[in-house]
Amino acid sequence: MNLVHVRIRLDGPVDDREWLKHAFHSRALLGEGVEHISVHLEEDGELTVGFWMNTSSVDAGEDTANAVARRALDAEPTLHRAAILGCSSALVPEAFDRMLQPPRESGRNRRRTDTATPDAW
């Protein structure tokens, strides 16, 4: 799973977060791997759209998120004059990536044996 941020400069106020989420999510095509979208409006008129992507690579996720965002800007009259400022992945450290993997049989699921007292069970 990749998180891709697309930063957009809006041309005028847009206050409806749910409408924005729908405007972007509805432009994702079946099979593109868009799992979830979040929106973050800044006071300075910038919008960050977070695309949670299930893609084969970071590059593929960025390309897809950028394409979906462009389709939304082209399709929605309210967003026609908005401009994409950037598109980049929020890279997850390798250690966190390992935490997302299913647990291996490491013995960690065993009950802890307390040797301090014989009746610890």
Side-chain angles (χ1 to χ4, degrees), residues 75-98:
E76 297 292 341
T78 306
L79 301 175
H80 274 204
R81 297 179 60 164
I84 294 177
L85 302 174
C87 177
S88 60
S89 290
L91 297 177
V92 177
E94 188 177 328
F96 186 70
D97 243 356
R98 283 194 304 268

Side-chain angles (χ1 to χ4, degrees), residues 10-83:
L10 297 173
D11 183 49
V14 179
D15 296 332
D16 190 344
R17 286 173 167 39
E18 289 303 314
W19 178 83
L20 281 167
K21 283 170 50 172
H22 177 74
F24 286 93
H25 203 269
S26 67
R27 301 299 170 217
L29 304 176
L30 190 63
E32 284 187 311
V34 177
E35 298 287 331
H36 174 73
I37 290 180
S38 61
V39 295
H40 306 279
L41 289 164
E42 303 295 331
E43 290 181 19
D44 61 1
E46 286 192 14
L47 167 68
T48 300
V49 182
F51 288 84
W52 292 92
M53 310 288 299
N54 187 5
T55 55
S56 59
S57 69
V58 170
D59 289 337
E62 289 175 349
D63 290 345
T64 300
N66 192 47
V68 172
R70 289 196 183 282
R71 287 196 297 265
L73 297 186
D74 290 342
E76 297 292 341
T78 306
L79 301 175
H80 274 204
R81 297 179 60 164

